[in-house]
Amino acid sequence: GARGAVGGGAGGATAGANGGDGFNASNSKGAAGLQQPSGFTPLLGGCAGGPGGGSANAAGGPGGAGGGAFQISVARTLTVGKTLSVSGGGGLGGKASASPAHSAGGGGGGSGGRIVLEAFQVKLTANARLTANGGGGGEGAGAGSGAAIAGADGASGSEDSNSIANGGEGEATTGGNGGSGGTSSLPTSGSNGTTIVLGDGGGGGGGGAAGSIHLRSVQSCTQADGYVISPASTGGCLPL
């Protein structure tokens, strides 16, 4: 898969999002993972986000796990009335040390995987939830003036809605916020770390890209009100 570089969000149906720069010039941002090939053969799962940049005293946040992949093919009718999710995991926040003062970057969000459903007729009930959302990036840590504050973790991609997974934020004053994960919208980049007197922060991890959903129905697909597909599917069944 197209895993992000240090702190970058993993690529999926689109490219992932960049991580933010740490305030310390030696901690540069992680590049986004590249877009995966658009074909469904072979069936590829999502990719893990890149780990945040760190040091021996302060570890970068691990990247979120990529979503899986599966295919269901039946000869007649395939009725879906449950949650089928391959959404990516959220990146974890960076760690910090007080002495010496070091602040690490947040991990990138994992990208969503792939779902393929095909049948003579695909039926989605009101309870059907098909999701391959990307995970949010972790927040960068902050350190200085004897304090060491770890960054907040990013949220994992939603398994049952089209809601965006938020990046980690609000724990480390100088740490950059994590980027949000992709849905039918693109993931966002992590923000840069900032500085205060005698302290600085690591960059936030980039959001992971959404994966892909392909629904192939020979006869017209039937979809009851209330179903969820995120991101929008290809192959004939209309997105929500």
Side-chain angles (χ1 to χ4, degrees), residues 38-40 43 70-72 78 113-119 122 130 132 211-217 229 231-237:
S38 59
F40 285 85
L43 192 62
F70 64 87
Q71 177 172 346
I72 301 175
L78 174 60
R114 293 186 175 185
I115 295 174
V116 177
L117 303 179
E118 58 181 0
V122 176
L130 306 177
S212 304
I213 299 173
H214 184 77
L215 306 178
R216 179 174 178 266
S217 185
I229 300 175
S233 62
T234 60
C237 293

Side-chain angles (χ1 to χ4, degrees), residues 138-153:
E139 180 186 28
S145 300
I149 303 173
D153 298 340

Side-chain angles (χ1 to χ4, degrees), residues 18-57:
N18 291 326
D21 286 318
F23 185 81
N24 186 322
S26 65
N27 292 334
S28 59
K29 68 183 177 187
L34 300 177
Q35 180 178 359
Q36 289 183 328
S38 59
F40 285 85
T41 303
L43 192 62
L44 300 174
C47 298
S55 67
N57 298 306

Side-chain angles (χ1 to χ4, degrees), residues 107-146:
S111 61
R114 293 186 175 185
I115 295 174
V116 177
L117 303 179
E118 58 181 0
F120 179 73
Q121 184 174 44
V122 176
K123 292 185 176 182
L124 304 181
T125 74
N127 295 320
R129 303 288 185 268
L130 306 177
T131 57
N133 300 311
E139 180 186 28
S145 300

Side-chain angles (χ1 to χ4, degrees), residues 116-186:
V116 177
L117 303 179
E118 58 181 0
F120 179 73
Q121 184 174 44
V122 176
K123 292 185 176 182
L124 304 181
T125 74
N127 295 320
R129 303 288 185 268
L130 306 177
T131 57
N133 300 311
E139 180 186 28
S145 300
I149 303 173
D153 298 340
S156 293
S158 177
E159 296 183 351
D160 59 5
S161 75
N162 57 5
S163 298
I164 292 172
N166 293 322
E169 59 178 298
E171 293 293 334
T173 301
T174 56
N177 293 338
S180 59
T183 53
S184 290
S185 59
L186 296 175

